[in-house]
Amino acid sequence: MDAPHLIAYADRLGGSLQALTGLLRGPLDGVFGGVHVLPFFRPYDGADAGFDPEDHTEPDPRLGSWADVGELARTHTVMTDVIVNHMSVRAGAFQDVIARGDDSPYRGMFLTLGSVFPDGATEAELAAIYRPRPGLPFTTMILGGRPRLVWTTFTPEQVDLDVRDPGTWEYLTGIIDRLTGAGVTMLRLDAVGYVGKQAGTTCFMTDGTHAFIRRLRAYANEHGARVLLEMHGHYRQQLDLAPTVDLVYDFALPPLVLHALHARDARPLARWLAVRPPNLVTVLDTHDGIGIVDVGASALLPGEPGLLAPDQIHALVEAVHDASGGASRLATGTAAGNLDLYQVNCTFYDALGGDDRRYLLARLIQLFLPGIPQIYYVGLLAGRNDVELLRRTGVGRDVNRHHYAPGEAEQELGRPVVRAQLAAIRLRAHHPAFQGSFEHECSGTTIALRWRHGSTSAALHVDVGDLSHRLTWEAEGAVDGTDDVLTLADRGDRWRA
């Protein structure tokens, strides 16, 4: 089983690829077996924090080089993004299309309304298109002197790719060649659900999407890389998708854990644990917001209830807003730019009111579940909402994307809640029980998670009703445990690599 992974921007944690490597080999030695380095391509500081690359085949020289990526990969599993749905409007290929229109050799790489609806689209067809933001996914642009409706699923700064085009396939496989050549062995397909646009469908997770995923996964596997799919949607879509791919996210877990701790109700989490697939990457927080669509009903599957009922979702969102002192309300929905209707923008620590005990219990639940645990850098440091950054940029998700100045991260690592969390991550990374079999029992307000391997075991018992809990582990005939997760900070040294 994979050791826990860190999720981090190179520029916001350390300032460069070399500095990030130094953190992982220095203060974080023995904590993480891998790292998801969020986009470090040129430019890393564009309109969408690197997810709108102008050149996806080269690191931004301000952050480092391919040699730096290779050096990091020498000691840690490295995952990076393959941004399959779009590229920057400023990318050279699209700029050529702007200048030359249909005469550009790159014209077929980019989608317009006519690419999918050559005979025009009806009102019903346009209304059926699934998009994570309000309005239609088109931006009027002048291509070769002609106004065209260019497909822009996310923002006008990100133009969508036509994955049916041979030029797009060459572009994407060239990225994979570059990444795997530098030692990257895990690839995250960003926004992959939107790539298979087809007339007469929602243009989300279509037959064309599945065909593309199979093709790209085969290519990546041939080059020594596993593929992780990033897709927000109804939880049954994750269940259907999981058997066909290497890895999928457990995006249902964060809101279900928050519901359990805020509503003092573990029953929805129990329903999910009974059906969740085995090939998951578990998260509580990421560079995006806390997903709500992943536990609710969805227009994509009419009539299928979610893991939480509408009134439970409403109560959860309001509980997070209250716990964060209203900061999450400033960063979510119509209150902030880069609009995400299906996410609440908030650090996970603030989503639990900055309560150390509840936060550590949430992290332990994640760490005790099967899958590859990934811990976001702000969550690792129990970070608070960066309202000042939100005010400067107007981008809702920036509230959870703090820039840690040189030395700031090392200082935060000394906080008791962070030290306790590091000890919990080391326990997951190094205790032999987590290489064995898993079992769970959940009902009402109680959660019991247990691992066994040979003569070793590790168990977590939590009652979300009163936050009573017990964490125990056994190795080499000795039983140890704690009645208060905060005391984990005093036990972490024994789980250093």
Side-chain angles (χ1 to χ4, degrees), residues 443-495:
S443 63
T445 62
T446 62
I447 303 168
L449 311 174
R450 183 180 295 105
W451 288 86
R452 299 182 188 276
H453 182 60
S455 62
T456 69
S457 66
L460 173 67
H461 298 264
V462 179
D463 189 325
V464 297
D466 58 8
L467 298 187
S468 60
H469 55 273
R470 182 163 181 80
L471 171 65
T472 59
W473 57 84
E474 179 179 357
E476 299 176 356
V479 177
D480 202 354
T482 177
D483 289 317
D484 193 325
V485 289
L486 290 174
T487 64
L488 275 170
D490 301 321
R491 302 167 182 263
D493 286 345
R494 68 178 297 170
W495 297 113

Side-chain angles (χ1 to χ4, degrees), residues 71-146:
E71 176 59 24
L72 175 56
R74 190 173 61 80
T75 54
H76 290 76
T77 298
V78 176
M79 180 166 78
T80 61
D81 292 272
V82 181
I83 302 164
V84 294
N85 181 69
H86 52 261
M87 68 168 68
S88 171
V89 70
R90 294 176 299 279
F94 189 68
Q95 286 295 308
D96 191 75
V97 174
I98 288 177
R100 301 168 61 187
D102 289 341
D103 293 331
S104 170
Y106 306 107
R107 171 64 193 89
M109 290 180 62
F110 303 99
L111 284 170
T112 64
L113 173 66
S115 303
V116 179
F117 300 97
D119 300 321
T122 67
E123 180 180 351
E125 287 174 321
L126 292 176
I129 296 173
Y130 180 73
R131 188 182 188 229
R133 290 157 171 77
L136 293 173
F138 306 107
T139 301
T140 302
M141 300 184 188
I142 306 300
L143 307 184
R146 295 173 53 207

Side-chain angles (χ1 to χ4, degrees), residues 41 64 68 70 144 152 205 274 306 311 320 345 356 366 455 459 482 486:
F41 312 109
D68 294 319
T152 52
M205 291 307 298
D311 61 328
V320 170
N345 292 314
D356 290 354
Q366 177 201 2
S455 62
T482 177
L486 290 174

Side-chain angles (χ1 to χ4, degrees), residues 168-302:
T168 303
W169 180 253
E170 183 178 354
Y171 162 73
L172 292 174
T173 54
I175 293 168
I176 293 175
D177 292 345
R178 273 289 203 175
L179 293 171
T180 55
V184 174
T185 55
M186 293 182 69
L187 304 174
R188 175 184 180 271
L189 302 189
D190 176 66
V192 70
Y194 298 92
V195 301
K197 290 131 178 129
Q198 295 174 252
T201 73
T202 62
C203 294
F204 182 80
M205 291 307 298
T206 64
D207 291 342
T209 306
H210 289 286
F212 170 79
I213 290 170
R214 288 193 297 271
R215 187 183 184 197
L216 201 68
R217 177 198 179 192
Y219 188 91
N221 290 170
E222 289 170 2
H223 288 73
R226 287 184 292 172
V227 166
L228 167 65
L229 268 60
E230 188 255 352
M231 189 201 76
H232 287 278
H234 194 279
Y235 80 95
R236 290 197 176 276
Q237 292 177 296
Q238 296 278 25
L239 296 180
D240 293 340
L241 185 62
T244 70
V245 299
D246 295 324
L247 297 162
V248 292
Y249 278 112
D250 188 348
F251 282 137
L253 182 63
L256 291 177
V257 169
L258 287 174
H259 171 81
L261 291 170
H262 278 300
R264 303 189 178 192
D265 173 21
R267 290 171 297 179
L269 178 60
R271 289 196 295 272
W272 174 236
L273 295 186
V275 299
R276 69 195 292 270
N279 55 329
L280 289 172
V281 169
T282 68
V283 292
L284 292 184
D285 43 1
T286 71
H287 63 285
D288 286 334
I290 299 166
I292 300 301
V293 67
D294 305 284
V295 292
S298 171
L300 294 169
L301 290 178

Side-chain angles (χ1 to χ4, degrees), residues 296-371:
S298 171
L300 294 169
L301 290 178
E304 287 282 356
L307 292 165
L308 293 180
D311 61 328
Q312 292 175 311
I313 290 176
H314 176 75
L316 172 60
V317 172
E318 290 303 312
V320 170
H321 290 335
D322 290 343
S324 68
S328 61
R329 196 184 302 276
L330 297 174
T332 297
T334 56
N338 210 5
L339 197 63
D340 294 300
L341 296 182
Y342 57 67
Q343 297 180 338
V344 174
N345 292 314
C346 186
T347 72
F348 212 83
Y349 187 60
D350 270 343
L352 289 168
D355 184 306
D356 290 354
R357 186 168 287 101
R358 286 201 297 171
Y359 184 67
L360 289 170
L361 288 175
R363 189 66 73 189
L364 278 167
I365 292 170
Q366 177 201 2
L367 292 170
F368 262 76
L369 291 180

Side-chain angles (χ1 to χ4, degrees), residues 395-434:
V395 176
R397 289 174 289 178
D398 276 352
V399 80
N400 188 30
R401 295 177 175 179
H402 180 67
H403 292 261
Y404 285 89
E408 185 181 2
E410 289 86 341
Q411 181 178 347
E412 293 297 297
L413 288 171
R415 291 167 55 201
V417 62
V418 178
R419 290 178 54 230
Q421 185 174 208
L422 290 172
I425 299 170
R426 286 192 179 99
L427 175 68
R428 170 59 190 261
H430 302 295
H431 195 290
F434 292 99

